[in-house]
Amino acid sequence: MSTVFLIAGGLGLLLFGMKMMSTGLELAAGDRLQDILQRATANRFLAVIVGIIATITINSSTAVTIMTVSFVNSGLMNLTQAIGIIMGANVGTTFSGQLIAFRIDTFAPLFIFVGIIMHLFFKKRTIKNIGYIVLGFGILFFGITTMGTPLRALAETDYFRAVLETFQNPVLALLAGFVFTAVIQSSSATMGILLTLHIHGVPISFETSAFIILGMNIGTSITTVLASIPANRESKRAALFHIMFDVIGSIVFGTLIYLFPGILNWFQETWSESARQAAMFHTLYNVATLLLILPFVRQVSALMLKLVPVKESEINKAYEKKLIYLDTLDTKMMQSPAIAVLNAHLELCRMGKIANENLTLALESFFERDMDKANKTLENEEIINYLNHNIASKLVWINNMSLSNSEAEKVGKMFRSLSDIERIGDHAENIAEYTLAMKGDEFKFSDAAIDELKRLGAVTVELITKTLDVYEHQDEMGLPQIQLLEEEVDKLSAEFSENHIARLKAETCEPKGGVVFTDMIIDLERSADHAYNIAFSIVSERKESKR
């Protein structure tokens, strides 16, 4: 019984250490992961490289593929780019197996000691995060050491030998790899366990290991499929490709190694240690699958479009009274800080676009005296209020996660930007109410007054549109233009207010209409101020906020 307890404890340490490593790496580099992924272009080769680098950076192909699905869901990445990144992630995830195969478990206590010192006794968050990574690394290898003796003892039992003989069947070995990986949602962890068996001399054949690895690759795609369920159909296509990529690879290379055992013999002749043989098979198998499918990325993309066609009812979900990017945030697979912050950013961008379009609609209702458009503006304002309340609740939830300094700063700024977007929506609502107030009543505006309001409205909408583009892409290059547009709004507001006073004195504009004119000037100017705040929130030390 003590043997089983030691194996279970060692296995727990291995899984926990791997989780600590991934969490620590994500805390250290997760906020940069978005920048890495966004460097992927329509060039399939660059997308593959980005996928490899991103996965090695945070030691989690699951996190990379889920984030890729989020990018596709937002429209920031197309399916061709996503396919390249997913293929690269499959190769990048083999890095951890190569690391374990170096067999440095002797130094596990040293890694634990150094990691705990860095994590507990240093105040700088960067050093603490690195310490967490080192600590996880040490715990992972200590788990491997802990399992060593009991695994060798277990391997001598008749029951364990019978289990190993069962897995001599390639189909059962593949199925075991698939099920175990799908349950624990980590191919790196499954690979770590398999390599531990090899490191400690458990008599598991290389052929069995090869088929377990094939099944393991399919199992890791299940998490991506689950993440795509609430997302749009483009995301579902990316998830479908992920599982198709692994299934095709497993079928092709499973058939090859079954028909031509010499392939496995080559691995055994090239590398003497069984753990290194398994690690190299994992890497080279994924590289070979990538090379097999890479030339046909565009054709595969077209196939995914046919398998998951666009539904007319799903073309535009922007105005649904629901969260789109944060609606699955409470599920286990979405609890990555980097992914949560990304989805919050996307939800804010969506709300900002709705607010801007609503302001445009409100202005149209005013100038056209269109009561239907005014009422539609008020309906949309309810969506904005709903998003404001629910995004704020999710941001509170995200703020309690283990965030890096950069992520924590982003979330803090999101609270302020959320308020600014909501206020733009309120000003649109005000303008719609002016329209409704004019129903059945003769408000007299001079042609000059209407022209001035149209000009100010056009500049304000242009400012908000450019602001949202700058905010969405976090592009500081657009800030000087935002500054100029905001100054133009201030200048025009002051100029038009003086013109209004002159018209009132000349009695070319009625006082009743003049009040609405003044209120419109205030609403547009304040909308521009809120846009300014949103735009300059992307810099670390921004200028003083407009109120």
Side-chain angles (χ1 to χ4, degrees):
M1 185 61 70
S2 61
T3 298
V4 175
F5 287 161
L6 282 171
I7 293 174
L11 178 59
L13 288 173
L14 185 149
L15 295 175
F16 183 63
M18 193 156 290
K19 176 63 177 176
M20 286 183 67
M21 278 183 62
S22 295
T23 301
L25 285 164
E26 193 170 332
L27 286 172
D31 53 315
R32 302 184 191 93
L33 185 59
Q34 298 175 35
D35 297 330
I36 295 173
L37 290 177
Q38 286 178 330
R39 294 182 183 277
T41 67
N43 184 319
R44 70 192 80 173
F45 301 103
L46 180 58
V48 168
I49 293 172
V50 167
I52 294 172
I53 293 173
T55 305
I56 292 175
T57 300
I58 66 168
N59 192 39
S60 175
S61 62
T62 299
V64 171
T65 51
I66 290 178
M67 187 171 289
T68 300
V69 167
S70 295
F71 271 111
V72 174
N73 192 42
S74 69
L76 296 177
M77 182 181 294
N78 61 41
L79 183 60
T80 301
Q81 295 167 337
I83 286 174
I85 289 177
I86 290 170
M87 289 193 296
N90 273 34
V91 174
T93 195
T94 67
F95 177 75
S96 59
Q98 295 289 351
L99 204 59
I100 293 173
F102 275 114
R103 301 189 61 172
I104 54 176
D105 46 295
T106 307
F107 300 98
L110 177 62
F111 286 119
I112 293 173
F113 176 75
V114 173
I116 203 71
I117 293 296
M118 294 175 68
H119 187 66
L120 291 183
F121 299 105
F122 284 81
K123 293 183 178 180
K124 192 173 180 181
R125 186 183 288 266
T126 302
I127 296 178
K128 291 175 74 71
N129 288 339
I130 293 174
Y132 197 74
I133 297 168
V134 175
L135 178 60
F137 192 67
I139 290 175
L140 184 157
F141 278 101
F142 191 75
I144 292 175
T145 302
T146 303
M147 287 189 287
T149 301
L151 275 175
R152 282 191 292 270
L154 186 64
E156 298 298 323
T157 64
D158 294 336
Y159 176 77
F160 194 77
R161 287 176 178 173
V163 172
L164 291 180
E165 287 177 7
T166 301
F167 287 147
Q168 293 296 322
N169 184 319
V171 176
L172 292 179
L174 187 146
L175 185 61
F178 167 76
V179 172
F180 191 81
T181 306
V183 170
I184 66 174
Q185 296 185 9
S186 173
S187 61
S188 295
T190 305
M191 192 64 192
I193 295 168
L194 182 62
L195 291 176
T196 300
L197 295 174
H198 282 287
I199 287 171
H200 292 295
V202 175
I204 180 171
S205 71
F206 181 48
E207 181 182 7
T208 297
S209 297
F211 281 99
I212 289 175
I213 290 170
L214 296 180
M216 176 185 75
N217 268 34
I218 301 174
T220 194
S221 62
I222 297 300
T223 306
T224 311
V225 173
L226 294 174
S228 72
I229 290 174
N232 62 24
R233 295 178 75 78
E234 188 78 351
S235 300
K236 289 180 173 63
R237 294 182 199 110
L240 177 62
F241 167 77
H242 190 198
I243 195 167
M244 187 199 75
F245 176 87
D246 292 324
V247 168
I248 289 176
S250 295
I251 291 174
V252 171
F253 291 99
T255 302
L256 285 175
I257 62 177
Y258 184 77
L259 295 178
F260 304 101
I263 296 175
L264 297 182
N265 293 336
W266 178 80
F267 280 93
Q268 292 174 305
E269 292 169 1
T270 306
W271 292 277
S272 58
E273 295 183 352
S274 60
R276 179 62 61 190
Q277 293 165 10
M280 291 305 301
F281 177 81
H282 188 206
T283 298
L284 294 181
Y285 152 68
N286 279 285
V287 170
T289 306
L290 184 153
L291 294 176
L292 176 68
I293 297 179
L294 187 60
F296 309 103
V297 166
R298 298 192 186 281
Q299 291 83 349
V300 169
S301 181
L303 176 62
M304 294 301 101
L305 187 60
K306 290 182 179 180
L307 294 176
V308 187
V310 176
K311 287 185 177 179
E312 187 175 349
S313 60
E314 295 183 356
I315 292 177
N316 185 8
K317 287 189 172 184
Y319 279 82
E320 282 194 54
K321 196 174 182 179
K322 60 175 286 188
L323 297 177
I324 292 179
Y325 306 109
L326 292 173
D327 59 343
T328 58
L329 188 58
D330 294 323
T331 64
K332 179 181 177 182
M333 62 188 170
M334 296 300 286
Q335 288 182 0
S336 160
I339 296 173
V341 172
L342 167 64
N343 285 340
H345 173 76
L346 296 175
E347 203 75 72
L348 250 70
C349 292
R350 172 191 167 222
M351 179 179 167
K353 290 174 183 176
I354 294 174
N356 190 31
E357 290 171 6
N358 217 34
L359 178 62
T360 302
L361 186 64
L363 289 169
E364 290 174 358
S365 76
F366 181 83
F367 296 128
E368 298 170 10
R369 297 210 176 188
D370 189 324
M371 303 304 154
D372 290 337
K373 287 186 176 181
N375 287 320
K376 182 61 177 176
T377 301
L378 299 182
E379 290 177 17
N380 292 341
E381 173 60 15
E382 293 181 5
I383 298 174
I384 294 171
N385 289 336
Y386 172 88
L387 293 176
N388 176 55
H389 173 74
N390 285 277
I391 292 174
S393 297
K394 292 296 185 180
L395 286 177
V396 171
W397 190 88
I398 294 171
N399 203 44
N400 291 325
M401 299 175 75
S402 298
L403 303 174
S404 67
N405 282 336
S406 176
E407 289 166 343
E409 183 182 5
K410 286 180 182 178
V411 172
K413 290 178 179 180
M414 282 182 191
F415 279 108
R416 295 190 291 270
S417 295
L418 180 65
S419 176
D420 284 314
I421 293 171
E422 194 272 336
R423 292 297 297 140
I424 292 174
D426 288 343
H427 292 303
E429 181 182 26
N430 292 343
I431 294 171
E433 288 175 347
Y434 304 151
T435 302
L436 295 174
M438 292 189 295
K439 184 178 181 180
D441 202 346
E442 290 298 326
F443 281 74
K444 183 181 179 182
F445 294 96
S446 65
D447 291 340
I450 293 296
D451 289 341
E452 288 174 348
L453 288 177
K454 285 183 177 180
R455 183 179 174 189
L456 183 61
V459 176
T460 302
V461 169
E462 181 185 3
L463 167 61
I464 297 172
T465 301
K466 292 186 181 301
T467 286
L468 293 173
D469 184 65
V470 164
Y471 182 76
E472 181 174 355
H473 298 97
Q474 301 287 291
D475 181 14
E476 294 187 21
M477 297 294 290
L479 292 179
Q481 189 175 13
I482 300 294
Q483 178 82 43
L484 291 175
L485 286 170
E486 199 278 331
E487 290 173 356
E488 184 178 358
V489 170
D490 287 343
K491 177 184 175 182
L492 292 177
S493 297
E495 178 185 335
F496 294 163
S497 294
E498 291 178 4
N499 294 345
H500 166 64
I501 294 172
R503 285 192 295 270
L504 286 176
K505 290 179 179 178
E507 298 184 350
T508 58
C509 190
E510 289 184 353
K512 197 171 184 179
V515 172
V516 173
F517 181 93
T518 301
D519 288 342
M520 285 274 287
I521 292 285
I522 293 172
D523 281 312
L524 292 172
E525 183 182 18
R526 289 182 178 172
S527 294
D529 290 341
H530 290 299
Y532 177 94
N533 292 344
I534 295 167
F536 279 84
S537 73
I538 69 173
V539 296
S540 298
E541 296 180 2
R542 67 185 179 118
K543 299 182 180 180
E544 184 178 355
S545 297
K546 299 274 185 174
R547 297 296 179 192

